Amino acid sequence: MLPFERVTILGTGLIGSSLARAIRNRMPTVRLTGYDRDAAVAARADELGLFDDMADSAGASVCDADLVVFAVPVRAIGAAAEEIAADLPRDAVVSDVGSVKASVLKAMAAAIEGPDRIVPAHPVAGTERSGPDAGFAELFENRWCILTPGAEADARNVERVSEFWRRLGSEVELMEAGHHDMVLAITSHLPHLIAYTIVGTASDIEDVTSSEVIKYSAGGFRDFTRIAASDPTMWRDVFLENKEAVLSTLQRFTEDLTQLQRAIRWDDGDFLFDRFRETRDTRRRVIDAGQDTAAPDFGRDRR
Amino acid sequence: MLPFERVTILGTGLIGSSLARAIRNRMPTVRLTGYDRDAAVAARADELGLFDDMADSAGASVCDADLVVFAVPVRAIGAAAEEIAADLPRDAVVSDVGSVKASVLKAMAAAIEGPDRIVPAHPVAGTERSGPDAGFAELFENRWCILTPGAEADARNVERVSEFWRRLGSEVELMEAGHHDMVLAITSHLPHLIAYTIVGTASDIEDVTSSEVIKYSAGGFRDFTRIAASDPTMWRDVFLENKEAVLSTLQRFTEDLTQLQRAIRWDDGDFLFDRFRETRDTRRRVIDAGQDTAAPDFGRDRR
Ligand SMILES: NC(=O)c1ccc[n+]([C@@H]2O[C@H](COP(=O)([O-])OP(=O)(O)OC[C@H]3O[C@@H](n4cnc5c(N)ncnc54)[C@H](OP(=O)(O)O)[C@@H]3O)[C@@H](O)[C@H]2O)c1
Ligand SMILES: NC(=O)c1ccc[n+]([C@@H]2O[C@H](COP(=O)([O-])OP(=O)(O)OC[C@H]3O[C@@H](n4cnc5c(N)ncnc54)[C@H](OP(=O)(O)O)[C@@H]3O)[C@@H](O)[C@H]2O)c1
């Protein structure tokens, strides 16, 4: 039996459209309804045939749903929840895919009656693209999906949402929302902040032209440009909604960077060597855990 | 006519072995001699059949060469140059592949007679691996190779080394050594320092277990682990030999990071949005310049 039969996705960008495609492939009998407040995005999702119906309003999109998923930037989830609250069927389960969880859980709970049916989710999978054309069905396969239900969530609803993600190929993990935000601050939010910073810094160095930066980017910089090409709205929202965890992680990073800086200044080669050797082990573990491939990616357009 | 006919490579690790493979493919009549001070590495290079001869000593490796290339960590180049100085044929050209150029040029010039024949080179291509098994023939194709000859270098020797790299598939650029070090500080050295730092920080956060860091690394962190898996000896040497440029670039980075940190703390979403939007453009230019592929790499094991 399918965990849900009539799924509505609000926001049909990268994640919303990938979700629609994945549901189509894995649970073809599910009736899919989509809505996007950006008319051009909605039209494109329609053209791509991602949904059975594209609704004209948020309210209309949910009135028949048994699962509603918000796939909009995290700061927009509260408003989107308010928009649908009046039209939401009494027994529909409500979820999302936002990259921050504590504030989003709070925003959904404030707008929607029935805390037993709110089951926030975060698929830890994505790309640096946005919009409906960027999505693809396999995005969630072999990736983790973290659920962060509050204390009042009904265990049956949590199990249904878990089963939903497992059917899409993900491994599901339950976590307290605040802990999720701390974990993601270090594994995702800080890396993005650092990448945005370094790409900005490189554009502002007066002795080096920007065309030199581009030309010689294969030495490491290009990897940061990929991460820093991620959606500005999404990331602005992530940093503002996960402010405390991001700032405290950043503080630790700065301390560690200062220590390496000192070691360089004072020629402490042994300290540098030891630190650099430890990080190799982390890489091996990422590969062993199936979270990356071992192919040497620096030579990525190896022909 | 080939630019060189008898090439000796000292250091048969990632870059030295890639160079040997590339020469074999592109200039098959060149006689190749290798030497590595690490007996296990030398034996492995021999087993792989990368060279016509593996020499037993540095001096013996160069006595018949018309080109000698140091492919050892940058702090080892001075000592390696001293080791071969006495046996070097009078007309042999001397080059290297080191990631830092001003100090290496100085070290080679101090050890070797005849500044007209010293033509330092840096192929801006690499991977996070090391050792002779990690090398591959295509590493230098469509990559830049920067030559940083001093004022006394003979133009004919510079042209021969240029032609050598063009034959291996690289595009060649001439640059003043100090300027090279400034450009690479931002495009390669700072990114590596930052990646090493963040991977270290992640291992030390007390509220997040290291297995959580590994599990959820697909959100951005895994890219940093790849860069931070690079060879510790090589990178220790790079930071110590390019100290000034690295520290001044790092200072700029820290200022920019502090500004973003302030914007997060004070909820300045517009500032964040504007900064994040600018960096997208840099990504587009990296792709247009052929320095990376446009495939959305976050979803890299898309099946
Ligand atoms: N990208 C990733 O790698 C990734 C990974 C995991 C989770 N996530 C999370 O997934 C969510 C969506 O991200 P995305 O990358 O898919 O973004 P996206 O491609 O930019 O798509 C978001 C879409 O939602 C629309 N929208 C905004 N507010 C809305 C509302 N109130 N009602 C209906 N539609 C609305 C946007 O329209 P406008 O243009 O008008 O705003 C846009 O078309 C975010 O919460 C993000 O944190 C992203
Ligand atoms: N890796 C990259 O991405 C990259 C890219 C561009 C340029 N480079 C530059 O290329 C050079 C080599 O790097 P790599 O990645 O190929 O390093 P690697 O794989 O670690 O190989 C270096 C080899 O040189 C040997 N060696 C050290 N000192 C020597 C000496 N005096 N005489 C002979 N052999 C000696 C080492 O042996 P021991 O183990 O005994 O030290 C090791 O086997 C470095 O200068 C680096 O900056 C690297």
Side-chain angles (χ1 to χ4, degrees):
Chain A
M1 216 188 70
L2 290 175
F4 299 101
E5 282 169 354
R6 295 174 310 281
V7 177
T8 293
I9 299 172
L10 291 107
T12 60
L14 170 72
I15 301 295
S17 76
S18 294
L19 195 51
R21 289 173 170 101
I23 295 170
R24 256 297 182 262
N25 279 4
R26 303 288 201 120
M27 296 178 267
T29 61
V30 164
R31 181 155 187 92
L32 273 172
T33 305
Y35 170 72
D36 202 291
R37 75 163 180 197
D38 184 324
V41 169
R44 183 63 188 147
D46 203 20
E47 220 168 88
L48 291 167
L50 300 176
F51 295 88
D52 296 303
D53 288 304
M54 284 300 292
D56 288 333
S57 72
S61 76
V62 303
C63 60
D64 191 37
D66 60 2
L67 173 67
V68 171
V69 180
F70 298 110
V72 302
V74 291
R75 284 210 149 180
I77 292 178
E82 280 167 23
E83 264 185 279
I84 61 148
D87 297 293
L88 193 67
R90 202 178 271 277
D91 58 354
V93 170
V94 174
S95 189
D96 75 309
V97 294
S99 307
V100 179
K101 299 266 64 102
S103 69
V104 164
L105 172 59
K106 210 180 282 175
M108 290 196 289
I112 285 162
E113 270 179 67
D116 58 303
R117 56 158 154 184
I118 299 178
V119 185
H122 177 207
V124 185
T127 81
E128 67 278 23
R129 306 292 185 78
S130 38
D133 285 291
F136 54 97
E138 304 83 3
L139 180 61
F140 311 110
E141 287 175 18
N142 299 307
R143 291 280 160 259
W144 290 95
C145 183
I146 304 176
L147 305 190
T148 62
E152 295 168 278
D154 186 314
R156 280 163 306 186
N157 290 331
V158 175
E159 177 46 33
R160 286 168 78 197
V161 175
S162 300
E163 178 59 17
F164 173 78
W165 281 101
R166 283 192 293 263
R167 294 218 180 198
L168 300 179
S170 295
E171 296 197 70
V172 172
E173 186 92 8
L174 297 191
M175 213 181 266
E176 188 272 318
H179 186 64
H180 165 278
D181 291 352
M182 195 69 204
V183 172
L184 271 290
I186 184 70
T187 60
S188 179
H189 307 170
L190 183 63
H192 276 81
L193 187 65
I194 296 301
Y196 278 123
T197 305
I198 204 169
V199 174
T201 303
S203 320
D204 280 348
I205 299 267
E206 51 291 305
D207 299 329
V208 179
T209 68
S210 86
S211 72
E212 285 175 321
V213 169
I214 303 296
K215 246 165 122 170
Y216 307 116
S217 59
F221 184 71
R222 65 176 174 183
D223 286 283
F224 289 75
T225 66
R226 191 179 54 233
I227 303 179
S230 299
D231 191 67
T233 306
M234 168 186 164
W235 283 100
R236 174 200 62 199
D237 283 14
V238 167
F239 295 124
L240 295 180
E241 293 299 306
N242 198 22
K243 184 190 288 201
E244 267 180 59
V246 168
L247 290 179
S248 87
T249 315
L250 180 52
Q251 181 58 36
R252 297 294 289 265
F253 168 82
T254 304
E255 288 165 20
D256 294 345
L257 185 60
T258 304
Q259 204 182 23
L260 285 174
Q261 181 173 13
R262 255 188 79 84
I264 294 173
R265 195 180 297 287
W266 297 101
D267 265 313
D268 190 346
D270 292 343
F271 180 84
L272 295 176
F273 183 85
D274 288 343
R275 295 302 301 261
F276 299 168
R277 203 181 39 186
E278 285 160 19
T279 55
R280 272 205 153 166
D281 181 54
T282 306
R283 176 63 182 167
R284 198 187 40 68
R285 293 176 60 206
V286 165
I287 292 166
D288 289 349
Q291 295 305 307
D292 206 347
T293 60
D297 194 62
F298 284 10
R300 55 178 160 270
D301 32 13
R302 176 174 178 169
R303 284 147 237 252
Chain B
M1 216 189 71
L2 290 176
F4 299 102
E5 283 171 353
R6 295 174 310 282
V7 177
T8 293
I9 299 173
L10 291 109
T12 60
L14 170 72
I15 301 294
S17 77
S18 294
L19 195 52
R21 290 173 170 101
I23 294 170
R24 256 298 181 260
N25 279 3
R26 304 289 201 117
M27 295 178 266
T29 60
V30 164
R31 179 154 190 94
L32 273 171
T33 305
Y35 171 72
D36 202 290
R37 75 162 180 199
D38 184 324
V41 169
R44 182 63 187 146
D46 202 20
E47 218 169 87
L48 290 167
L50 300 175
F51 295 88
D52 296 303
D53 287 303
M54 284 300 291
D56 287 334
S57 73
S61 77
V62 303
C63 58
D64 190 38
D66 59 1
L67 173 67
V68 171
V69 181
F70 299 110
V72 302
V74 291
R75 284 212 148 180
I77 292 178
E82 280 166 23
E83 265 184 278
I84 61 148
D87 297 292
L88 192 67
R90 202 179 269 277
D91 58 353
V93 170
V94 173
S95 189
D96 75 310
V97 295
S99 307
V100 178
K101 298 266 66 104
S103 68
V104 165
L105 172 58
K106 210 179 283 175
M108 289 195 292
I112 285 163
E113 268 178 69
D116 58 302
R117 57 162 157 180
I118 300 178
V119 185
H122 176 208
V124 186
T127 81
E128 66 278 24
R129 305 294 185 78
S130 38
D133 285 291
F136 53 97
E138 305 81 3
L139 180 61
F140 310 110
E141 286 175 19
N142 298 307
R143 291 280 161 259
W144 291 95
C145 184
I146 304 177
L147 306 190
T148 61
E152 295 168 277
D154 186 313
R156 280 163 305 185
N157 290 330
V158 175
E159 177 45 33
R160 286 168 78 196
V161 175
S162 300
E163 178 58 18
F164 173 77
W165 282 100
R166 282 192 294 263
R167 294 219 180 197
L168 301 179
S170 297
E171 297 196 69
V172 173
E173 186 92 9
L174 297 191
M175 213 180 265
E176 188 272 317
H179 186 65
H180 165 279
D181 291 352
M182 195 70 205
V183 172
L184 272 288
I186 183 71
T187 60
S188 178
H189 308 170
L190 184 63
H192 276 80
L193 186 65
I194 296 300
Y196 278 122
T197 306
I198 204 168
V199 174
T201 303
S203 320
D204 279 348
I205 299 265
E206 50 291 306
D207 299 329
V208 178
T209 67
S210 86
S211 72
E212 286 174 321
V213 168
I214 302 297
K215 244 165 125 170
Y216 307 116
S217 60
F221 183 71
R222 65 175 172 182
D223 287 282
F224 289 75
T225 65
R226 192 180 53 236
I227 302 179
S230 300
D231 190 67
T233 306
M234 168 185 162
W235 284 99
R236 175 200 62 198
D237 283 13
V238 166
F239 294 124
L240 296 179
E241 293 298 307
N242 198 20
K243 183 191 288 201
E244 268 182 58
V246 168
L247 290 179
S248 87
T249 314
L250 180 53
Q251 182 57 36
R252 298 294 291 265
F253 168 82
T254 304
E255 289 166 19
D256 293 346
L257 184 60
T258 304
Q259 204 183 22
L260 285 174
Q261 182 174 13
R262 256 188 78 86
I264 294 172
R265 196 180 298 285
W266 297 101
D267 264 312
D268 190 347
D270 292 342
F271 180 84
L272 294 176
F273 183 85
D274 288 343
R275 294 303 303 260
F276 297 168
R277 204 182 36 189
E278 286 161 18
T279 54
R280 272 205 153 167
D281 180 53
T282 305
R283 176 63 181 166
R284 198 188 39 67
R285 293 176 60 207
V286 166
I287 292 166
D288 290 349
Q291 295 305 308
D292 206 349
T293 61
D297 193 63
F298 284 10
R300 56 177 160 268
D301 33 12
R302 174 174 182 172
R303 286 146 237 253

